[in-house]
Amino acid sequence: MSDSSLVDPFGRRITYLRLSVTDRCDFRCTYCMSEDMVFAPRAQILTLEELYAVADAFIGLGVRRIRVTGGEPLVRKGVLGLLARLGARPELEDLAITTNGSQLPTMAGDLRQAGVKRLNVSLDSLRRERFAELTRRDRLDQVLDGIEAARRAGFKGIKLNSVVQKGRNDDEVLDLVEFAVDKGLDISFIEEMPLGSVSSHQREVTFCSSEEVRQRIEQRHELVRSNHVTGGPSRYWQVAGTDTRIGFISPHSNNFCGSCNRVRVTAEGKLVLCLGHEGALDLKSLMRRYPGDTERLRQALVDALQLKPERHHFRTDEQVQVVRFMSMTGG
Ligand code: SAM
Ligand code: SF4
């Protein structure tokens, strides 16, 4: 465990940063974005240099794991250079990315070379038409090719992320598990979070709890509680007799707030202390007012941590509680 100087008033040590490098994406997943998203003007997005400066300040304060996300991080121009700079930092125990997989066919090898250690690839359906409906893009084959490319490039820690929605893809849970077992991948099932207003479905109708997903899997597989920890909020089970671990991310139960070790920085440079709260500190303004002032940036982070909320309170019976979309914050 690192010796982080970032400690919040509840004694939680921050060692994990999720850094969003863009709010843009080549997909339009229905639970994440609206069809006609308005993206931030480019000038409002942190430059690669600013993104590195933020990461550097966090590393200086004891952060040891960084996950680069978005939007779709791999559509950000120059992201490989940023990853290579982060990958070269000896302090980092883990450098991971969360991706929709669409760019992996061409980028997997370069990502590995850049020092990325782990990949999370989002995959909610193995059926072409349904995939196209959920993501609003007909790119299932490209994503499956991307997963193969990542395996060929030698990535070991590949994990699938599947958001499960009742009546939309919950009947594919077992198929997704089969796919993961077959390819030797891990998989996490995620409860949908009420982030941003969506028009394609009613969240209180499609909500599917992790408990239901687990029961469904246990009809076919024996699940053994695993003590595997990744620094993230998943709780893991091993599929007996296989290499596959299954994680469940259940933001609706406050179960992981007590051990929360993370903060997020959006592509626009907002420090988000808790996914379930609106409050955010504008790091971009600070960095642009005092360019190169690392000390000031670090102090602002230390001070901001004093405001980290104790827990979030997502509920399923309300459409929107936090106006930000997940693509702005980074998943
Ligand atoms: N574009 C990349 C991807 O899709 O993996 C990275 C960003 S995406 C916002 C990160 C993760 O957040 C994805 O696994 C996605 O399924 C998940 N996500 C997006 N909106 C969500 C929501 N409202 N509730 C739960 N998970 C969500
Ligand atoms: Fe894009 Fe990822 Fe959001 Fe889907 S979940 S729209 S791939 S950012």
Side-chain angles (χ1 to χ4, degrees):
M1 196 29 110
S2 70
D3 180 22
S4 171
S5 358
L6 287 172
V7 184
D8 79 2
F10 307 99
R12 294 172 299 190
R13 225 165 256 285
I14 302 305
T15 55
Y16 187 123
L17 169 67
R18 288 207 170 196
L19 183 61
S20 174
V21 296
T22 180
D23 62 341
R24 284 155 211 262
C25 186
D26 50 345
F27 289 6
R28 293 287 182 280
C29 302
T30 49
Y31 49 71
C32 177
M33 292 196 180
S34 63
E35 180 80 77
D36 47 354
M37 283 298 278
V38 180
F39 295 108
R42 279 185 207 280
Q44 298 305 321
I45 300 294
L46 293 188
T47 63
L48 293 167
E49 209 44 59
E50 287 167 338
L51 286 165
Y52 183 75
V54 169
D56 175 61
F58 273 105
I59 294 170
L61 290 167
V63 160
R64 293 295 170 258
R65 293 161 178 259
I66 296 182
R67 176 171 292 282
V68 171
T69 180
E72 174 45 44
L74 300 185
V75 302
R76 172 77 199 246
K77 275 208 190 77
V79 73
L80 279 173
L82 174 68
L83 290 167
R85 284 180 85 183
L86 296 176
R89 292 294 298 255
E91 305 96 318
L92 282 187
E93 291 161 14
D94 193 19
L95 178 61
I97 62 170
T98 303
T99 173
N100 64 24
S102 69
Q103 310 302 311
L104 287 177
T106 53
M107 292 177 79
D110 292 337
L111 289 169
R112 186 131 157 83
Q113 204 124 54
V116 174
K117 293 202 173 77
R118 291 189 303 129
L119 294 179
N120 282 6
V121 184
S122 297
L123 182 66
D124 300 333
S125 176
L126 293 162
R127 301 181 196 171
R128 182 176 164 189
E129 272 179 29
R130 182 180 280 180
F131 181 96
E133 209 173 290
L134 290 171
T135 62
R136 301 195 183 99
R137 297 291 183 271
D138 186 7
R139 307 257 172 81
L140 175 62
D141 285 346
Q142 203 174 319
V143 172
L144 296 180
D145 287 351
I147 293 171
E148 279 311 313
R151 293 174 74 213
R152 271 199 310 277
F155 276 104
K156 292 281 176 281
I158 305 176
K159 180 163 76 77
L160 304 177
N161 274 345
S162 305
V163 175
V164 184
Q165 296 178 289
K166 212 168 265 178
R168 305 190 101 206
N169 69 341
D170 60 331
D171 55 342
E172 274 195 76
V173 163
L174 285 172
D175 291 350
L176 286 161
V177 170
E178 259 13 279
F179 178 81
V181 168
D182 188 46
K183 305 275 179 204
L185 315 175
D186 291 337
I187 182 164
S188 278
F189 291 103
I190 306 174
E191 290 176 355
E192 184 179 3
M193 284 177 262
L195 298 174
S197 173
V198 295
S199 57
S200 58
H201 59 288
Q202 285 181 294
R203 283 175 164 144
E204 64 275 29
V205 176
T206 55
F207 178 71
C208 188
S209 75
S210 291
E211 192 49 33
E212 286 173 81
V213 175
R214 193 165 59 85
Q215 283 173 9
R216 207 177 267 247
I217 298 170
E218 283 185 323
Q219 286 169 8
R220 189 177 302 170
H221 297 282
E222 186 192 343
L223 297 183
V224 183
R225 194 71 191 245
S226 156
N227 51 14
H228 177 68
V229 280
T230 58
S234 270
R235 295 160 295 139
Y236 285 94
W237 271 259
Q238 187 90 28
V239 182
T242 77
D243 293 334
T244 295
R245 279 178 297 242
I246 301 188
F248 296 98
I249 304 181
S250 321
H252 289 274
S253 48
N254 286 316
N255 60 31
F256 54 67
C257 295
S259 59
C260 182
N261 59 353
R262 65 188 48 210
V263 293
R264 297 170 151 82
V265 173
T266 71
E268 290 184 84
K270 298 259 167 44
L271 173 67
V272 177
L273 297 162
C274 172
L275 201 50
H277 287 259
E278 291 284 357
L281 174 74
D282 184 1
L283 300 177
K284 177 176 57 162
S285 297
L286 185 84
M287 284 193 287
R288 292 188 182 173
R289 201 171 327 132
Y290 304 102
D293 192 341
T294 314
E295 250 337 288
R296 194 182 289 265
L297 180 58
R298 283 191 193 179
Q299 193 56 49
L301 298 178
V302 171
D303 293 346
L305 243 268
Q306 298 318 305
L307 303 173
K308 186 167 165 69
E310 188 172 10
R311 57 165 47 98
H312 63 247
H313 296 281
F314 288 133
R315 287 166 46 192
T316 48
D317 56 351
E318 288 174 24
Q319 269 292 56
V320 189
Q321 292 152 25
V322 177
V323 183
R324 261 185 273 116
F325 280 93
M326 189 70 153
S327 55
M328 295 174 185
T329 327

